Amino acid sequence: MANLSNSPITQVSQVPTHTNLQPQLLTRLFLDLRGRRFEVDRETIMNLPESVLLCLFPNGLVLSRQSVALSDGGGDDDEEEVYGVDFDPECFQFVLTFFRNASDNFYGTSTTPGLFAAQQQLFESPSSEFGPATSQNPLLSKQAIIVLREELEYFSIPPKDGNAATDANGLANESMVDIKRRSGDYLIEKRSIFTALQRNVNKENNVAEQHLIDMLCMSGFDREDEWGFRALEPSRCCISSIALVLLKTGIVHHPSEEKPVEIDATQMATAQKLLLFWRKPARKCWWDGLDVELPAVNDKPAMTVKLWARRVWTLELSLV
């Protein structure tokens, strides 16, 4: 007999009693991201990176509802209750699409087998260079995705001989607002992921930052990679960026099925270091100051401004 207590649907006796009401799990959520509607199932939400969830729901999210009245068993308890979310809808769509494609490629679809099916032998093999705990290695049974986010706040210092300024209340005049807009347009085009951090490494000779770049490039990134999504936040001097890559685990699938799946021990050891960031996002913050030449726009002449940027990186590993 099935254990009804494990069912996500609350069982109601014929003689209802309000003392044993259990919160019912939501099966899907309706989200409104700055005017764009999304319908997302519960499993998809649970698979999202912790750092993204914190941006979506800074005050937390309860994936259950306590019924105020007993259901009669008919009808849909997941009535459309829309959550308003202040998050870029294009960025959210980018994350959803990447995670869905990664999951389909690893686990397969109804018509195409995935990589996971070919890796079953790794669990069945009695001998392994990774020891008896091979079956406990989550990188063999889950698709690992490296999540790197950047929040960039920028501050423009105009030329002294210009008329850009702020008033007594700290509000920027039209010239200052224009410089801020042009500074944002300049920065949004700088899509290379590692350029700013490498510049900081070269300036400060920071060994730890160089190791971070090296580790990421050994694990799936390339030194010339660009942000997968990058956009200005509305009404703010802030740019949000995110990059997603599949973790290089060292599991080698040969084109011909004649050879079994193999594991590169060195690459797997490197990949396992990234497990430190599974459900534990790490943050890094640094300042970057440059004199930049803003190009002429319409009737506005070119000018040189001092541009300060406060960059916050969040690194995380997700297992789907």
Side-chain angles (χ1 to χ4, degrees):
M1 181 176 178
N3 185 0
L4 297 180
S5 64
N6 292 332
S7 173
I9 302 177
T10 303
Q11 302 298 315
V12 181
S13 63
Q14 291 182 347
V15 182
T17 58
H18 290 265
T19 57
N20 293 325
L21 281 176
Q22 296 293 326
Q24 185 177 23
L25 295 177
L26 293 174
T27 56
R28 64 185 185 274
L29 280 82
F30 297 92
L31 307 177
D32 186 319
L33 276 68
R34 298 177 182 172
R36 180 173 169 185
R37 188 71 61 87
F38 288 84
E39 181 181 344
V40 189
D41 61 69
R42 181 177 183 273
E43 183 180 1
T44 299
I45 288 289
M46 297 299 292
N47 278 331
L48 290 177
E50 296 280 331
S51 56
V52 172
L53 285 174
L54 286 172
C55 291
L56 290 170
F57 311 107
N59 298 320
L61 174 67
V62 178
L63 289 175
S64 63
R65 81 158 49 92
Q66 179 70 53
S67 299
V68 295
L70 291 174
S71 171
D72 61 2
D76 188 357
D77 286 322
D78 281 342
E79 292 182 2
E80 189 168 326
E81 182 178 348
V82 180
Y83 293 86
V85 178
D86 184 19
F87 192 79
D88 193 302
E90 294 297 331
C91 182
F92 188 58
Q93 185 63 67
F94 171 75
V95 174
L96 290 179
T97 301
F98 189 97
F99 270 64
R100 181 176 61 250
N101 292 341
S103 178
D104 290 347
N105 184 59
F106 187 76
Y107 294 107
T109 64
S110 58
T111 57
T112 307
L115 300 176
F116 182 61
Q119 295 174 193
Q120 294 301 309
Q121 67 181 65
L122 299 176
F123 299 94
E124 301 166 358
S125 177
S127 60
S128 169
E129 54 197 314
F130 293 95
T134 299
S135 61
Q136 305 300 318
N137 183 353
L139 299 182
L140 300 180
S141 58
K142 302 286 186 182
Q143 176 61 71
I145 300 172
I146 305 176
V147 182
L148 183 63
R149 297 181 61 249
E150 180 184 77
E151 294 292 326
L152 186 160
E153 287 186 276
Y154 63 90
F155 306 86
S156 307
I157 301 177
K160 292 182 179 180
D161 56 356
N163 58 359
T166 55
D167 61 21
N169 296 320
L171 299 177
N173 62 16
E174 186 57 37
S175 295
M176 189 69 219
V177 170
D178 178 68
I179 290 176
K180 289 182 177 182
R181 289 199 193 101
R182 292 165 65 183
S183 297
D185 292 340
Y186 172 87
L187 287 170
I188 201 72
E189 297 299 325
K190 306 302 178 183
R191 300 185 63 91
S192 177
I193 295 175
F194 297 108
T195 297
L197 186 58
Q198 189 66 62
R199 184 167 59 238
N200 199 54
V201 169
N202 298 339
K203 181 175 67 174
E204 305 289 344
N205 193 27
N206 192 312
V207 177
E209 291 179 351
Q210 186 63 59
H211 285 169
L212 172 61
I213 295 175
D214 294 341
M215 178 184 69
L216 290 175
C217 291
M218 290 175 63
S219 302
F221 282 97
D222 186 271
R223 295 181 190 276
E224 304 303 319
D225 273 348
E226 297 184 346
W227 294 106
F229 175 86
R230 187 171 175 84
L232 280 158
E233 291 291 319
S235 304
R236 295 176 57 198
C237 293
C238 181
I239 296 174
S240 296
S241 307
I242 189 168
L244 305 171
V245 298
L246 301 180
L247 176 65
K248 286 184 179 178
T249 57
I251 302 175
V252 182
H253 292 259
H254 297 283
S256 172
E257 296 183 359
E258 297 177 359
K259 294 185 66 176
V261 175
E262 299 176 328
I263 298 180
D264 182 324
T266 302
Q267 185 61 47
M268 177 60 80
T270 300
Q272 286 178 312
K273 294 178 182 178
L274 270 296
L275 286 173
L276 292 172
F277 305 104
W278 178 34
R279 294 179 178 170
K280 296 178 181 178
R283 302 180 76 199
K284 172 176 178 54
C285 174
W286 78 97
W287 285 85
D288 188 31
L290 289 175
D291 291 318
V292 302
E293 180 76 15
L294 299 180
V297 178
N298 299 327
D299 59 338
K300 307 293 176 59
M303 67 171 64
T304 301
V305 300
K306 184 74 172 183
L307 198 55
W308 285 96
R310 178 180 181 268
R311 302 173 189 265
V312 179
W313 272 19
T314 305
L315 174 64
E316 180 182 358
L317 186 73
S318 286
L319 297 181
V320 180

